[in-house]
């Protein structure tokens, strides 16, 4: 390994730096390699013409300070403002929560169905992939795999069949949860669900209530699927980072 010599300490330098200055300039991140920047001269009023290398850094620092100040104080039009992240609780430690429940897509029970086709597959396309079909759902989320087990939330949303060569869904769902401090909060997922794959990940794109600013993903795993009726039960494991 070759050591890169400090530029000012090369033997060709006309005024080699004393070791103490080198030490200070290495320890002080703000200081320039020009030792005058950390020397007491800096405390004198600005009316004194600073050395050229210093003025560039000073100018950049001043621009940075005024930019920061204008962001904090300015923008009083009401249209847009900049907030400190603390004001919305974003200084709090993020929590990584794991939710597990079962999602029931019931399409074959007539008036008792929880999921209904609102746009049928487009006949002019290859209908084996149901391209163009859209289902709207209000599906129960239960603690266990049985439909009769404890209801912990509902999945409101829709899925659209979006591939002409495979049975792939675009899932758009709000998981509205009912339990404890999560009651009334929602987790929103949007993403691709390839039916041919037994397990898939769908992005958590946000949420409401305790899930404001949430991110993460939902791992969906087929628990039951009846190809004749289209009814399905899916195990969802949601991994979500949130602040409350
Ligand atoms: C809907 O549910 C009710 C009550 O469980 C039941 O009596 C009825 O037969 C169901 N209807 C269909 C079409 O499954
Ligand atoms: C329709 O889709 C199926 C399934 O992907 C495929 O096997 C078939 O060749 C497609 N037919 C046409 C006409 O593209
Ligand atoms: C959730 O909140 C609703 C509305 O505030 C309330 O009616 C319901 O009892 C709550 N459910 C649970 C399980 O706490």
């Amino acid at each position: 390994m070759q050591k890169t010599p400090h530029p000012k300490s090369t033997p060709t330098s006309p005024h080699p730096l004393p070791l103490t200055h080198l030490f200070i300039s290495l320890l002080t991140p703000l200081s320039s390699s020009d030792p005058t920047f950390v020397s007491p001269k800096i405390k004198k009023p600005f009316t004194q013409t600073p050395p050229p290398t210093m003025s560039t850094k000073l100018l950049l620092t001043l621009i940075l300070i005024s930019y920061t100040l204008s962001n904090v104080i300015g923008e009083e039009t009401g249209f847009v403002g900049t907030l400190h992240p603390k004001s919305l609780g974003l200084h709090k430690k993020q929590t990584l929560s794991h939710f597990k429940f079962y999602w029931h897509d019931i399409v074959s029970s007539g008036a008792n169905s929880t999921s209904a086709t609102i746009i049928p597959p487009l006949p002019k396309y290859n209908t084996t992939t149901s391209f163009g079909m859209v289902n709207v759902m209000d599906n129960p989320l239960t603690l266990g795999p049985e439909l009769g087990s404890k209801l912990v939330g509902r999945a409101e949303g829709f899925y659209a069949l979006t591939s002409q060569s495979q049975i792939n869904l675009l899932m758009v769902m709000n998981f509205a949860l009912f339990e404890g401090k999560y009651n009334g909060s929602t987790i929103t997922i949007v993403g691709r669900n390839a039916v041919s794959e037994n397990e898939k990940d769908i992005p958590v794109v946000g949420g409401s209530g305790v899930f404001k600013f949430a991110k993460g993903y939902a791992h969906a795993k087929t628990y039951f699927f009846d190809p004749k009726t289209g009814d399905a039960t899916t195990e969802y494991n949601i991994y979500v980072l949130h602040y409350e």
Side-chain angles (χ1 to χ4, degrees), residues 150-152 177-184:
K150 187 180 168 68
L151 186 71
V152 294
L177 304 183
F178 299 157
E179 285 299 294
K181 74 166 191 167
Y182 307 103
N183 189 10

mmCIF file of all heavy atoms in Angstrom, residues 150-152 177-184, ligand 3:
data_model
loop_
_atom_site.group_PDB
_atom_site.id
_atom_site.type_symbol
_atom_site.label_atom_id
_atom_site.label_comp_id
_atom_site.label_asym_id
_atom_site.label_seq_id
_atom_site.Cartn_x
_atom_site.Cartn_y
_atom_site.Cartn_z
ATOM 1 N N LYS A 150 -60.623 -15.199 14.312
ATOM 2 C CA LYS A 150 -60.764 -13.786 14.721
ATOM 3 C C LYS A 150 -60.471 -12.802 13.581
ATOM 4 O O LYS A 150 -59.434 -12.882 12.922
ATOM 5 C CB LYS A 150 -59.809 -13.517 15.882
ATOM 6 C CG LYS A 150 -59.963 -12.153 16.521
ATOM 7 C CD LYS A 150 -58.957 -12.018 17.672
ATOM 8 C CE LYS A 150 -58.833 -10.617 18.181
ATOM 9 N NZ LYS A 150 -59.971 -10.055 18.867
ATOM 10 N N LEU A 151 -61.402 -11.881 13.376
ATOM 11 C CA LEU A 151 -61.263 -10.857 12.340
ATOM 12 C C LEU A 151 -60.342 -9.745 12.866
ATOM 13 O O LEU A 151 -60.641 -9.113 13.879
ATOM 14 C CB LEU A 151 -62.651 -10.291 12.000
ATOM 15 C CG LEU A 151 -62.731 -9.316 10.831
ATOM 16 C CD1 LEU A 151 -62.520 -10.039 9.500
ATOM 17 C CD2 LEU A 151 -64.083 -8.599 10.834
ATOM 18 N N VAL A 152 -59.218 -9.510 12.219
ATOM 19 C CA VAL A 152 -58.270 -8.490 12.685
ATOM 20 C C VAL A 152 -58.202 -7.278 11.765
ATOM 21 O O VAL A 152 -57.537 -6.289 12.073
ATOM 22 C CB VAL A 152 -56.850 -9.082 12.887
ATOM 23 C CG1 VAL A 152 -56.848 -10.090 14.028
ATOM 24 C CG2 VAL A 152 -56.321 -9.713 11.596
ATOM 25 N N LEU A 177 -56.710 -2.090 9.828
ATOM 26 C CA LEU A 177 -56.583 -2.991 10.975
ATOM 27 C C LEU A 177 -57.534 -2.588 12.101
ATOM 28 O O LEU A 177 -57.893 -1.416 12.232
ATOM 29 C CB LEU A 177 -55.123 -2.990 11.463
ATOM 30 C CG LEU A 177 -54.087 -3.353 10.405
ATOM 31 C CD1 LEU A 177 -52.683 -3.403 11.016
ATOM 32 C CD2 LEU A 177 -54.403 -4.683 9.714
ATOM 33 N N PHE A 178 -57.932 -3.565 12.901
ATOM 34 C CA PHE A 178 -58.919 -3.334 13.972
ATOM 35 C C PHE A 178 -58.349 -3.472 15.377
ATOM 36 O O PHE A 178 -59.004 -3.133 16.341
ATOM 37 C CB PHE A 178 -60.080 -4.356 13.860
ATOM 38 C CG PHE A 178 -60.852 -4.280 12.557
ATOM 39 C CD1 PHE A 178 -61.579 -5.394 12.116
ATOM 40 C CD2 PHE A 178 -60.874 -3.126 11.799
ATOM 41 C CE1 PHE A 178 -62.312 -5.341 10.933
ATOM 42 C CE2 PHE A 178 -61.600 -3.069 10.610
ATOM 43 C CZ PHE A 178 -62.316 -4.174 10.177
ATOM 44 N N GLU A 179 -57.149 -4.025 15.485
ATOM 45 C CA GLU A 179 -56.675 -4.437 16.805
ATOM 46 C C GLU A 179 -55.960 -3.337 17.585
ATOM 47 O O GLU A 179 -55.081 -2.652 17.039
ATOM 48 C CB GLU A 179 -55.702 -5.622 16.667
ATOM 49 C CG GLU A 179 -56.387 -6.948 16.350
ATOM 50 C CD GLU A 179 -57.355 -7.376 17.437
ATOM 51 O OE1 GLU A 179 -56.897 -7.675 18.554
ATOM 52 O OE2 GLU A 179 -58.562 -7.405 17.177
ATOM 53 N N GLY A 180 -56.329 -3.200 18.863
ATOM 54 C CA GLY A 180 -55.590 -2.360 19.820
ATOM 55 C C GLY A 180 -55.218 -0.997 19.281
ATOM 56 O O GLY A 180 -56.058 -0.273 18.745
ATOM 57 N N LYS A 181 -53.940 -0.635 19.412
ATOM 58 C CA LYS A 181 -53.500 0.697 18.999
ATOM 59 C C LYS A 181 -53.461 0.835 17.480
ATOM 60 O O LYS A 181 -53.273 1.938 16.958
ATOM 61 C CB LYS A 181 -52.136 1.029 19.611
ATOM 62 C CG LYS A 181 -50.952 0.311 18.993
ATOM 63 C CD LYS A 181 -49.659 0.994 19.450
ATOM 64 C CE LYS A 181 -48.457 0.514 18.675
ATOM 65 N NZ LYS A 181 -47.271 1.346 18.860
ATOM 66 N N TYR A 182 -53.624 -0.261 16.776
ATOM 67 C CA TYR A 182 -53.623 -0.227 15.300
ATOM 68 C C TYR A 182 -55.024 -0.013 14.737
ATOM 69 O O TYR A 182 -55.192 0.183 13.544
ATOM 70 C CB TYR A 182 -53.027 -1.525 14.739
ATOM 71 C CG TYR A 182 -51.673 -1.814 15.336
ATOM 72 C CD1 TYR A 182 -51.517 -2.774 16.333
ATOM 73 C CD2 TYR A 182 -50.556 -1.083 14.930
ATOM 74 C CE1 TYR A 182 -50.285 -3.008 16.902
ATOM 75 C CE2 TYR A 182 -49.313 -1.306 15.499
ATOM 76 C CZ TYR A 182 -49.182 -2.275 16.484
ATOM 77 O OH TYR A 182 -47.966 -2.481 17.057
ATOM 78 N N ASN A 183 -56.023 -0.082 15.619
ATOM 79 C CA ASN A 183 -57.419 0.062 15.182
ATOM 80 C C ASN A 183 -57.606 1.408 14.477
ATOM 81 O O ASN A 183 -57.339 2.460 15.052
ATOM 82 C CB ASN A 183 -58.344 -0.044 16.404
ATOM 83 C CG ASN A 183 -59.809 -0.129 16.017
ATOM 84 O OD1 ASN A 183 -60.141 -0.298 14.847
ATOM 85 N ND2 ASN A 183 -60.694 -0.011 17.008
ATOM 86 N N GLY A 184 -58.036 1.368 13.250
ATOM 87 C CA GLY A 184 -58.264 2.601 12.487
ATOM 88 C C GLY A 184 -57.085 2.997 11.614
ATOM 89 O O GLY A 184 -57.214 3.885 10.768
HETATM 90 C C1 LIG B 3 -62.055 -0.042 16.653
HETATM 91 O O1 LIG B 3 -62.571 1.267 16.572
HETATM 92 C C2 LIG B 3 -63.958 1.310 16.278
HETATM 93 C C3 LIG B 3 -64.327 2.758 15.979
HETATM 94 O O2 LIG B 3 -63.716 3.606 16.876
HETATM 95 C C4 LIG B 3 -64.729 0.690 17.434
HETATM 96 O O3 LIG B 3 -66.129 0.717 17.159
HETATM 97 C C5 LIG B 3 -64.267 -0.751 17.588
HETATM 98 O O4 LIG B 3 -64.885 -1.332 18.710
HETATM 99 C C6 LIG B 3 -62.764 -0.822 17.757
HETATM 100 N N1 LIG B 3 -62.354 -2.212 17.711
HETATM 101 C C7 LIG B 3 -61.491 -2.745 18.557
HETATM 102 C C8 LIG B 3 -61.193 -4.191 18.362
HETATM 103 O O5 LIG B 3 -60.982 -2.107 19.448
#
